[in-house]
Amino acid sequence: MALEIKSIKGTADVLPSESYKWQFVERLFIDTAKLYGFGEIRIPTFEDKRLFIRSVGDTTDVVQKEMYTFTDQGGRDLALRPEGTAGVNRAVIESGLINGALPVKLSYALSCFRAEKPQAGRMREFHQLGMELFGSASPSADAEVISFVNDFFGILGIQNISLEINSIGCPTCRKEYHAALRSYFEGKKACLCETCLGRLEKNPLRILDCKNPECHEIAKDAPVVLDYLCDDCRAHFEGLKKRLDAMNIAYTVNPRIVRGLDYYVRTVFEFVSGDLGAQSTVCGGGRYDGLIKSLGGADQPGIGYAMGVERLLMVMKAQGIEIPAPASCDLYIGSIGEEASIKALQLVGSLREEGFTAECDIVGRSVKAQMKYADKIGARYSMILGDNELAENKANIKNMESGETREIALDDETLAQFFYDEEIESLSAAFGADLDIPEMNK
Ligand code: ATP
Ligand code: MG
């Protein structure tokens, strides 16, 4: 019978043959963030729908077209989070963190949901690694988060990824800019899509981010926001550039970046890869100084970003960056008879306590089938226990690659010592073997 119910379009299963890569980048991200003083926050998968309408913005594609919304049994209007910033902002207000020691520095790894057209690098459930920094309006905060991303890519060995920055001003300078955009697009109304006609009135900046090819074409010659910055915004942007220069972080100013979320002010940035085809932005972020206040919190500035895990792994694959795979099994213990199978259970237990991966037969198969299985799972060593081995308390341990065997006493300490002597790395040490990374698994 064929499988009747299949996974939903735009979602994916991550099997063990791939999941170790996910664990690696997520753990590296959260641990490296710790070095910069960012602690991990975990937030709910769904929220009050109004949170996203208010923060992401009701004229954005994310809210207008992509959000998964539903009404629950209690009649509440909810949404699966399309991104992490809104929820983290709500959480820092609700928890009172925003009223404590500033800056508040948070990192996260979470899944997001957007009803988009699935394609390479564009999923309906996807995963983000992100950071938010609250309580500093200084360009040093912008430089801190941008330099983190730059360092993180460096640690992973990613090349050919460029940083593009822009400033989209603040509510003060945006008034004049919006007026300039309106008068530009007013004359081209006939070519704008239905959605953008609405945006022309409410939020003309959003037209610049429209995916419709015709709107996109017209937007190319629209006035750029950099020409309209007020003195404070200009000084902030110059301050950021000065810091990036001082930190030797290469960037280009791309006046066309506006980002697809309404809460951004001043700095916006993207890291773009030449190895990704159409979905080339691996990481996007920016400053959102009015957001906390507009959600009912203190008047505190914030800045953050998120990078897509799927796209990050795609870039690493394209660049041939290998993530060390943990050994699937250090020792497989086969057995004949009940007593031997119980001894095998005890021995694998003690090895696991030492951090080695060990398995034994739990199916009750023939020795031949057990050894076939050991081979299939790629066990490094194997041994078989029967009546003789139990009587003498000794067995032959076999190196599955060379076929070499050695006699070994069947006690916990001798067995563990064997693996230490062979310099088999315990599972924790195997992570990050060939990469120059900060110590992990702490
Ligand atoms: P895009 O322009 O590709 O639609 P975006 O501006 O909507 O991206 P953000 O909301 O800034 O993206 O999200 C940050 C990052 O999350 C993106 O740079 C990307 O790596 C990832 N991302 C966003 N949407 C998706 C998706 N549908 N599938 C996979 N990754 C995504
Ligand atoms: Mg998008």
Short mmCIF file of all heavy atoms in Angstrom, two decimals, residues 62 83 114 116 121-124 126 128 211 259-261 264 270 279 281-284 306-308 310-311, ligand 1:
data_model
loop_
_atom_site.label_atom_id
_atom_site.label_comp_id
_atom_site.label_asym_id
_atom_site.label_seq_id
_atom_site.Cartn_x
_atom_site.Cartn_y
_atom_site.Cartn_z
N VAL A 62 4.75 39.75 3.86
CA VAL A 62 4.70 38.74 4.92
C VAL A 62 3.31 38.71 5.56
O VAL A 62 2.71 37.64 5.71
CB VAL A 62 5.79 39.00 5.99
CG1 VAL A 62 5.60 38.10 7.20
CG2 VAL A 62 7.18 38.79 5.40
N GLU A 83 8.43 35.11 11.48
CA GLU A 83 9.79 35.54 11.77
C GLU A 83 9.94 35.64 13.28
O GLU A 83 8.96 35.48 14.02
CB GLU A 83 10.07 36.89 11.09
CG GLU A 83 9.03 37.96 11.39
CD GLU A 83 9.51 38.96 12.39
OE1 GLU A 83 10.51 39.64 12.10
OE2 GLU A 83 8.91 39.08 13.47
N ARG A 114 5.87 30.63 6.37
CA ARG A 114 5.36 31.62 5.42
C ARG A 114 4.78 30.88 4.22
O ARG A 114 5.43 29.98 3.67
CB ARG A 114 6.48 32.55 4.93
CG ARG A 114 7.05 33.42 6.02
CD ARG A 114 8.08 34.40 5.46
NE ARG A 114 8.85 34.98 6.55
CZ ARG A 114 9.87 35.83 6.38
NH1 ARG A 114 10.21 36.20 5.16
NH2 ARG A 114 10.52 36.30 7.42
N GLU A 116 4.67 30.81 1.03
CA GLU A 116 5.29 31.31 -0.19
C GLU A 116 5.31 30.19 -1.22
O GLU A 116 5.03 29.04 -0.90
CB GLU A 116 6.73 31.73 0.09
CG GLU A 116 6.85 32.78 1.16
CD GLU A 116 8.23 33.41 1.17
OE1 GLU A 116 8.52 34.17 0.24
OE2 GLU A 116 9.00 33.12 2.09
N GLY A 121 15.68 27.00 -1.67
CA GLY A 121 15.96 28.09 -0.74
C GLY A 121 14.73 28.86 -0.30
O GLY A 121 14.84 29.91 0.36
N ARG A 122 13.56 28.40 -0.68
CA ARG A 122 12.33 29.06 -0.23
C ARG A 122 11.33 28.00 0.19
O ARG A 122 10.80 27.27 -0.64
CB ARG A 122 11.76 29.95 -1.35
CG ARG A 122 10.73 30.94 -0.84
CD ARG A 122 10.23 31.89 -1.91
NE ARG A 122 11.21 32.87 -2.34
CZ ARG A 122 11.68 33.87 -1.58
NH1 ARG A 122 11.25 34.01 -0.36
NH2 ARG A 122 12.55 34.73 -2.06
N MET A 123 11.13 27.89 1.50
CA MET A 123 10.27 26.85 2.06
C MET A 123 9.07 27.50 2.76
O MET A 123 9.06 28.69 3.00
CB MET A 123 11.04 26.03 3.10
CG MET A 123 12.35 25.43 2.62
SD MET A 123 12.04 24.05 1.52
CE MET A 123 11.34 22.87 2.69
N ARG A 124 8.07 26.68 3.08
CA ARG A 124 6.94 27.21 3.85
C ARG A 124 7.19 27.09 5.35
O ARG A 124 6.73 27.90 6.12
CB ARG A 124 5.65 26.51 3.42
CG ARG A 124 5.29 26.95 2.02
CD ARG A 124 3.97 26.43 1.56
NE ARG A 124 3.61 27.14 0.33
CZ ARG A 124 2.62 26.80 -0.46
NH1 ARG A 124 1.87 25.75 -0.15
NH2 ARG A 124 2.35 27.49 -1.54
N PHE A 126 10.61 27.11 7.42
CA PHE A 126 12.06 27.22 7.30
C PHE A 126 12.63 27.58 8.66
O PHE A 126 11.90 27.73 9.63
CB PHE A 126 12.45 28.24 6.21
CG PHE A 126 11.99 29.64 6.48
CD1 PHE A 126 12.85 30.58 7.04
CD2 PHE A 126 10.69 30.04 6.19
CE1 PHE A 126 12.42 31.87 7.29
CE2 PHE A 126 10.26 31.34 6.44
CZ PHE A 126 11.13 32.25 7.00
N GLN A 128 15.50 29.75 11.13
CA GLN A 128 16.36 30.94 11.24
C GLN A 128 17.25 30.87 12.47
O GLN A 128 16.85 30.38 13.52
CB GLN A 128 15.49 32.20 11.39
CG GLN A 128 14.77 32.61 10.12
CD GLN A 128 14.08 33.96 10.25
OE1 GLN A 128 13.78 34.41 11.36
NE2 GLN A 128 13.83 34.61 9.13
N LYS A 211 7.61 41.96 -5.35
CA LYS A 211 8.24 40.91 -6.17
C LYS A 211 7.67 40.89 -7.59
O LYS A 211 8.23 40.24 -8.47
CB LYS A 211 8.02 39.54 -5.50
CG LYS A 211 8.64 39.39 -4.11
CD LYS A 211 10.15 39.23 -4.16
CE LYS A 211 10.76 38.83 -2.82
NZ LYS A 211 10.59 39.81 -1.74
N ARG A 259 14.34 46.04 2.65
CA ARG A 259 13.90 44.96 3.53
C ARG A 259 12.36 44.86 3.55
O ARG A 259 11.67 45.83 3.36
CB ARG A 259 14.43 45.09 4.96
CG ARG A 259 15.89 45.42 5.04
CD ARG A 259 16.81 44.20 5.04
NE ARG A 259 16.35 43.16 5.91
CZ ARG A 259 16.06 41.92 5.49
NH1 ARG A 259 16.17 41.60 4.23
NH2 ARG A 259 15.65 41.02 6.34
N GLY A 260 11.90 43.65 3.80
CA GLY A 260 10.48 43.38 3.65
C GLY A 260 9.64 43.52 4.92
O GLY A 260 8.53 43.03 4.97
N LEU A 261 10.17 44.16 5.94
CA LEU A 261 9.44 44.26 7.20
C LEU A 261 9.39 45.74 7.61
O LEU A 261 10.37 46.46 7.49
CB LEU A 261 10.16 43.43 8.28
CG LEU A 261 10.51 41.99 7.84
CD1 LEU A 261 11.63 41.41 8.69
CD2 LEU A 261 9.30 41.09 7.89
N TYR A 264 11.74 48.38 10.39
CA TYR A 264 13.12 48.87 10.27
C TYR A 264 13.23 50.39 10.15
O TYR A 264 12.42 51.04 9.50
CB TYR A 264 13.81 48.23 9.06
CG TYR A 264 14.13 46.77 9.26
CD1 TYR A 264 13.67 45.81 8.38
CD2 TYR A 264 14.92 46.36 10.33
CE1 TYR A 264 13.96 44.47 8.57
CE2 TYR A 264 15.21 45.03 10.53
CZ TYR A 264 14.73 44.09 9.64
OH TYR A 264 15.02 42.77 9.83
N GLU A 270 22.22 43.19 4.47
CA GLU A 270 22.04 41.81 3.99
C GLU A 270 23.40 41.21 3.70
O GLU A 270 24.32 41.92 3.30
CB GLU A 270 21.20 41.80 2.70
CG GLU A 270 19.77 42.24 2.92
CD GLU A 270 18.88 42.10 1.68
OE1 GLU A 270 19.42 41.87 0.57
OE2 GLU A 270 17.66 42.23 1.84
N GLN A 279 17.60 32.85 -4.76
CA GLN A 279 17.42 33.16 -3.33
C GLN A 279 18.80 33.42 -2.70
O GLN A 279 19.32 32.61 -1.98
CB GLN A 279 16.72 32.01 -2.61
CG GLN A 279 15.23 32.11 -2.58
CD GLN A 279 14.59 32.21 -3.95
OE1 GLN A 279 14.14 33.27 -4.33
NE2 GLN A 279 14.58 31.13 -4.70
N THR A 281 20.00 35.91 -0.65
CA THR A 281 20.22 36.53 0.65
C THR A 281 20.24 35.47 1.75
O THR A 281 19.24 34.81 2.00
CB THR A 281 19.11 37.56 0.96
OG1 THR A 281 19.03 38.46 -0.15
CG2 THR A 281 19.43 38.36 2.21
N VAL A 282 21.39 35.32 2.40
CA VAL A 282 21.51 34.33 3.46
C VAL A 282 21.05 34.93 4.78
O VAL A 282 20.49 34.25 5.63
CB VAL A 282 22.98 33.85 3.60
CG1 VAL A 282 23.09 32.79 4.69
CG2 VAL A 282 23.48 33.31 2.29
N CYS A 283 21.29 36.23 4.93
CA CYS A 283 21.04 36.86 6.22
C CYS A 283 20.56 38.28 5.99
O CYS A 283 21.09 38.98 5.13
CB CYS A 283 22.37 36.87 7.00
SG CYS A 283 22.30 37.79 8.53
N GLY A 284 19.54 38.70 6.74
CA GLY A 284 19.04 40.06 6.59
C GLY A 284 18.68 40.62 7.95
O GLY A 284 18.23 39.91 8.83
N ALA A 306 18.32 37.95 11.02
CA ALA A 306 18.13 36.50 11.02
C ALA A 306 18.75 35.93 9.76
O ALA A 306 18.74 36.57 8.71
CB ALA A 306 16.65 36.16 11.08
N MET A 307 19.31 34.73 9.90
CA MET A 307 19.82 34.06 8.70
C MET A 307 19.08 32.74 8.53
O MET A 307 18.65 32.11 9.51
CB MET A 307 21.33 33.84 8.79
CG MET A 307 21.80 32.88 9.85
SD MET A 307 23.58 32.68 9.76
CE MET A 307 24.14 34.05 10.76
N GLY A 308 18.89 32.36 7.29
CA GLY A 308 18.17 31.12 6.99
C GLY A 308 19.10 29.93 7.05
O GLY A 308 20.14 29.92 6.39
N GLU A 310 18.50 26.84 6.01
CA GLU A 310 18.50 26.10 4.74
C GLU A 310 19.49 26.72 3.76
O GLU A 310 20.29 26.03 3.13
CB GLU A 310 17.09 26.09 4.12
CG GLU A 310 16.09 25.17 4.81
CD GLU A 310 15.44 25.79 6.06
OE1 GLU A 310 15.81 26.95 6.41
OE2 GLU A 310 14.58 25.13 6.68
N ARG A 311 19.43 28.06 3.67
CA ARG A 311 20.32 28.74 2.71
C ARG A 311 21.78 28.67 3.16
O ARG A 311 22.68 28.53 2.34
CB ARG A 311 19.87 30.20 2.52
CG ARG A 311 18.54 30.28 1.80
CD ARG A 311 18.14 31.71 1.47
NE ARG A 311 16.71 31.76 1.19
CZ ARG A 311 16.03 32.86 0.93
NH1 ARG A 311 16.66 34.03 0.89
NH2 ARG A 311 14.73 32.81 0.69
P1 ATP B 1 13.55 36.95 0.62
O1 ATP B 1 13.87 38.26 0.00
O2 ATP B 1 14.43 35.85 0.15
O3 ATP B 1 12.08 36.63 0.55
P2 ATP B 1 13.10 38.00 3.21
O4 ATP B 1 13.50 39.41 3.10
O5 ATP B 1 11.67 37.65 3.14
O6 ATP B 1 13.91 37.10 2.16
P3 ATP B 1 13.77 37.88 6.01
O7 ATP B 1 12.38 38.04 6.47
O8 ATP B 1 14.70 38.98 6.16
O9 ATP B 1 13.77 37.35 4.51
O10 ATP B 1 14.38 36.57 6.70
C1 ATP B 1 15.78 36.43 6.96
C2 ATP B 1 16.34 35.22 6.27
O11 ATP B 1 15.51 34.09 6.43
C3 ATP B 1 16.49 35.36 4.77
O12 ATP B 1 17.65 36.06 4.43
C4 ATP B 1 16.55 33.91 4.34
O13 ATP B 1 17.86 33.38 4.52
C5 ATP B 1 15.61 33.25 5.29
N1 ATP B 1 14.27 33.07 4.67
C6 ATP B 1 13.27 33.97 4.55
N2 ATP B 1 12.20 33.42 3.97
C7 ATP B 1 12.53 32.13 3.70
C8 ATP B 1 11.84 31.02 3.12
N3 ATP B 1 10.59 31.13 2.70
N4 ATP B 1 12.50 29.84 3.01
C9 ATP B 1 13.78 29.71 3.45
N5 ATP B 1 14.47 30.70 4.02
C10 ATP B 1 13.87 31.90 4.15
#
